[in-house]
Amino acid sequence: MTALLDPLLASHGSFGFNLDPFETNIINLAIVIAGLWKFLPGFLGSILERRRTAILADLGDAEDRLTTAGAALAQAQRELAEAQQKAAQIRSDGEARAQAIRLDSERRTVEEMVRVKQGAASDLSTEAARVTQQLRREAARLAIEKALAELPGRLDGAAQSSLLDQSIANLGAS
């Protein structure tokens, strides 16, 4: 292996440092670095300053928008609270109104039931009186018919005459 490397190393020469400033371009590199050192901060500085100003302006705008959004949020929260209070009031009023309607409906239903019950009771008592009167008439009629049927066989002439006189006396006293 050394035999292979020997011709390669022999053809390139020996290893060492080249200290000749013209051959190594040290002067050119020093000029370029000095130029960059001198001019790059101004060029990059102005670019960075413009970028910094733009970023600060964007941050200022963002802060303004944040403040505006915060105020809008606070206003929206106040309006939401007011709307919730109004909705609660409407709900409360609706429940009270529904309760009043329900109570009024119950009251009217009870009144109607009482009226119907009184009407039924009145109708019942009227019908009972009518039936009672009819039964009395029927009983009186039957009693008169029975009495008239039995009377001729039970009364003789003197008893009939005495009964008629007594009935006439009763009619006269009335």
Side-chain angles (χ1 to χ4, degrees), residues 27-152:
I27 294 174
N28 290 339
L29 286 174
I31 292 172
V32 169
I33 289 173
L36 288 175
W37 188 269
K38 172 105 174 128
F39 298 111
L40 195 58
F43 175 72
L44 283 178
S46 65
I47 290 174
L48 291 175
E49 184 61 31
R50 282 193 307 255
R51 183 65 185 146
R52 181 178 164 269
T53 304
I55 289 172
L56 288 176
D58 289 344
L59 284 176
D61 289 343
E63 286 176 354
D64 291 343
R65 286 192 309 254
L66 178 63
T67 304
T68 304
L73 176 63
Q75 179 65 26
Q77 286 175 338
R78 283 191 300 274
E79 290 173 0
L80 175 63
E82 290 172 4
Q84 287 175 336
Q85 287 176 343
K86 191 170 188 175
Q89 181 65 35
I90 289 170
R91 186 178 313 115
S92 174
D93 291 346
E95 288 173 355
R97 179 72 179 138
Q99 180 72 9
I101 289 171
R102 186 182 60 79
L103 290 175
D104 185 53
S105 175
E106 287 176 359
R107 180 188 52 80
R108 282 188 284 145
T109 301
V110 167
E111 288 173 356
E112 184 65 21
M113 287 172 54
V114 166
R115 188 186 64 74
V116 166
K117 187 175 179 181
Q118 287 173 345
S122 174
D123 289 347
L124 182 62
S125 64
T126 303
E127 185 65 22
R130 186 186 66 77
V131 168
T132 303
Q133 185 67 26
Q134 186 177 2
L135 287 175
R136 282 184 185 157
R137 276 192 226 137
E138 186 66 25
R141 187 186 61 78
L142 289 174
I144 290 173
E145 285 178 6
K146 184 177 178 185
L148 287 176
E150 291 180 6
L151 193 60

